[in-house]
Amino acid sequence: MKEVFRLFPMYFQFMQNEDSPYYQGQRAIMCSELKAKGLAGDAVLNAMNRIPRHLFLESSFHQHAYQDKAFPIAAGQTISHPSTVAWQSELLELRPGMKVLEIGTGSGYQAAVLCELGIKLFSIERQKALFDFSKKMLTALGYRAELKFGDGFKGMPVFAPFDRVIVTCGAPFVPKALLAQLIEGGIMIIPVGEGTQKMVKITKQADGSFVQKVLGDAAFVPMLKDRE
Ligand code: SAH
């Protein structure tokens, strides 16, 4: 982590604060609390323990960053609860090297967790301010991902098929384009519903059909069409 600042001093000002033993301690407590909730296994929780979540928030929220809370980010959006990030990451059943498409880059925090898990990430965000912020932050932290400013309803057909698709905004319905971009045997984790949502796991079968399983309640900001 410290090397980032030595190698890229220009990011020092942008990041305002680097990681610190204080935040590392807070983070370790957060991860052990998440473990107690049983939402995710060690691989996901160890990844979350390596990521300075506070840097994805405005500085006024830094000291609260390791509580299991959602916080406002730019453009009226929110960073997901750590428990939601842990849960969705676990549900994806990731293996290193997989191609994963994320809809709703937002702050970039969920994206960082996925990158830490050794997958190849493709992520779409429709708010320019968040696209710009997450791109800078993920780059500053050394994560490589294919980030797109665009409409997640369309997916990224150029890079399809994907082993996994994770939607981190509340979808009014399951977008057909995203189903089409899933590989056979692939898994999509998507919160579906207007207002509040149900977390749904969709698995694409060898014959191209889909099996859906409803997993529990979710509350994300809405998935909206087009670019803002
Ligand atoms: N994964 C994010 C969660 C951010 S909230 C994080 O870790 O911070 C959900 C995000 O989805 C918002 O940034 C919102 O702008 C974005 N979003 C909503 N509809 C979208 C769409 N159609 N395509 C891409 N992003 C979308």
Side-chain angles (χ1 to χ4, degrees), residues 77-78 102 104 106-107 110 125-127 151-152 168 223-224:
Q77 306 303 310
T78 53
E102 178 192 29
S107 66
Q110 170 76 76
E125 172 55 54
R126 71 181 284 280
Q127 296 280 0
D151 181 0
T168 68
M223 183 173 184
L224 302 171

Side-chain angles (χ1 to χ4, degrees), residues 53 56-57 71 73-81 85 88 102-112 123-128 130-131 148-154 166-170 220-228:
R53 184 177 188 244
F56 293 85
L57 299 172
F71 292 102
I73 50 177
Q77 306 303 310
T78 53
I79 187 172
S80 301
H81 288 71
V85 172
Q88 281 198 295
E102 178 192 29
I103 309 301
T105 320
S107 66
Y109 177 68
Q110 170 76 76
S123 186
I124 308 175
E125 172 55 54
R126 71 181 284 280
Q127 296 280 0
K128 187 70 166 59
L130 286 165
F131 168 77
K148 185 179 172 182
F149 171 51
D151 181 0
F153 278 97
K154 297 178 181 142
I166 171 174
V167 179
T168 68
C169 38
F220 288 80
V221 293
M223 183 173 184
L224 302 171
K225 277 202 184 274
D226 301 325
R227 297 189 302 189
E228 181 72 6

Side-chain angles (χ1 to χ4, degrees), residues 203-221:
T203 310
K204 191 166 188 171
Q205 308 298 297
D207 65 1
S209 66
F210 297 93
V211 173
Q212 286 204 21
K213 202 172 163 193
V214 178
L215 300 165
D217 295 326
F220 288 80
V221 293

